[in-house]
Amino acid sequence: MTTQLDLLIHKEYGEIPQYTPKDFKANIDVRWCAGCGGYSILAQVQRIMPDIGVPKEKIVFVSGIGCSSRFPYYMDVYGFHSIHGRALAVASGLKVARPDLSVWVATGDGDCMSIGGNHMIHASRRNVDINVIMFNNEIYSLTKGQFSPTSRVGQKTKSSPFGVLDDPFNPSSLALGSGSTFVARGYDNNPSHMKHLFQRAAQHKGFSFVEIYANCVIFNDGAFDEYTRKETRPTSTINLEHGKPLVFGFKNELGIIMDGYKPKVVNLDEGKYSVNDLIVHNEQDSTLALILSDMSFNPELPRPMGVIYAESKPTYDQKVTWQINDLIERKGEGNLDDLMRGDEWWEIK
C-alpha cells in the first residue's frame, strides 16, 4: 500500500525554477565580525545552490552552536538551529526520514570535533547522504577564545594561558578513519576553489566532509597565513587534482615521491627526478588518501588542499529504504497496532 508519506518522499522534483544566488540570500543582516571567513564561505554556498538541481523547498541547512552555526539564518531555505554538537544527529535523522531532501550541515571545529565528535564518527561510518561544511578556525570564537580540539600545541588562549598541551585533531584523518566517502579541504580566501569543493560535495552521493580554514580575525587572526598568503602558499600547500602528479612550488619545481612508505619532497630542477617519478593523485585510493591527510601536520611536507578522497558506495538512507522494501515484500505491510501489542497482551478491566 502506498501511503501519503511515500508519495511525498518519492515525489519527483519536476521542473526546477531558474534560481540565482540572490534567491538563496535571507532578508536579514549577516552578523559575523567584519573580516570573518564565514562571509566567503556563505557567498560560495549561495553561488552553487542554483546549480545543484534541487528546488529550494527541498534544501535544509542544519547547525549546532557556534559562530558558524548562524549559517541557516542567512540561507533562504529551510533551516534547523539545533543544540551544541548535535547538528549531525539531527541531519542524519532528517535525511533518513526524508531522503528526498538535500541536507547540509554548517559546523565549527569545536561543535563538530569536540562535543559533536561522536556524531561525526557515526554519521561518517554510516555514509549518511549529507554534506558537512566545517569552519575550522582552531578556536572557540563564540565563547570568546578558548582553545578547541584543532588548536595547536603551545597555542596561548584564554583557557590555555601557558599554551595548549593537547595534540590537535586532524579533521580529514578523522573523517577518513571514520569512513567518510568524500573528504576535501580548502580555505576561505580562495573563493573559486571553495566553490569547486562545494559543487563536488553537492554532487557526491553519501557523506561528504569539507574542511575550510576560516580565519577568526578576533581570537585567532592569521592562524592560516602560511597556507593562504601568496608569499608562502606555493611552497606550503599542494593542490590535489585527480590523475595529476603532486607538484607544487612557485614554478612547480617541487614534487612528492614515495620514499618507502613515506612521502618525500624532491626538487625537479636538480635533475635527479622528473615529473614521471612523482605520486599521481587518485582520489579513489583510500591508502593514498590517508598518506595525504597525514602530511597535514608534517612541517617538511606541503599541506594538501582539494579533494583528498571520493568513493562511491551505498548510503545509509538507501539501505534503510531497501531493508524496509525487502521486509514489506517478504512479510507484507506492517500493522502498528499489532506491533505495539506484541504476541502477548491482556486488557485490565
Side-chain angles (χ1 to χ4, degrees), residues 270-332:
E270 293 176 350
K272 184 177 180 180
Y273 296 97
S274 75
V275 72
N276 295 326
D277 297 311
L278 305 180
I279 300 171
V280 175
H281 183 43
N282 180 354
E283 62 186 28
Q284 297 167 357
D285 185 334
S286 59
T287 302
L288 178 59
L290 288 168
I291 291 172
L292 293 172
S293 178
D294 195 46
M295 287 167 54
S296 300
F297 293 161
N298 187 333
E300 297 179 357
L301 297 168
R303 190 161 291 200
M305 299 288 171
V307 177
I308 298 172
Y309 186 58
E311 176 193 11
S312 178
K313 61 187 290 189
T315 68
Y316 185 77
D317 33 297
Q318 281 178 323
K319 290 190 283 189
V320 168
T321 302
W322 293 342
Q323 188 177 61
I324 291 172
N325 290 341
D326 176 63
L327 287 169
I328 291 174
E329 186 175 332
R330 289 191 289 113
K331 296 188 174 184

Side-chain angles (χ1 to χ4, degrees), residues 3-46:
T3 66
Q4 289 300 313
L5 182 59
D6 291 327
L7 294 173
L8 179 65
I9 290 174
H10 300 294
K11 184 179 179 181
E12 297 293 331
Y13 289 153
E15 187 174 349
I16 300 173
Q18 293 293 312
Y19 298 122
T20 70
K22 286 185 179 180
D23 293 317
F24 294 90
K25 295 181 179 179
N27 189 28
I28 62 173
D29 293 334
V30 179
R31 296 185 180 277
W32 284 320
C33 302
C36 173
Y39 287 97
S40 181
I41 298 172
L42 175 64
Q44 299 317 310
V45 170
Q46 289 168 335

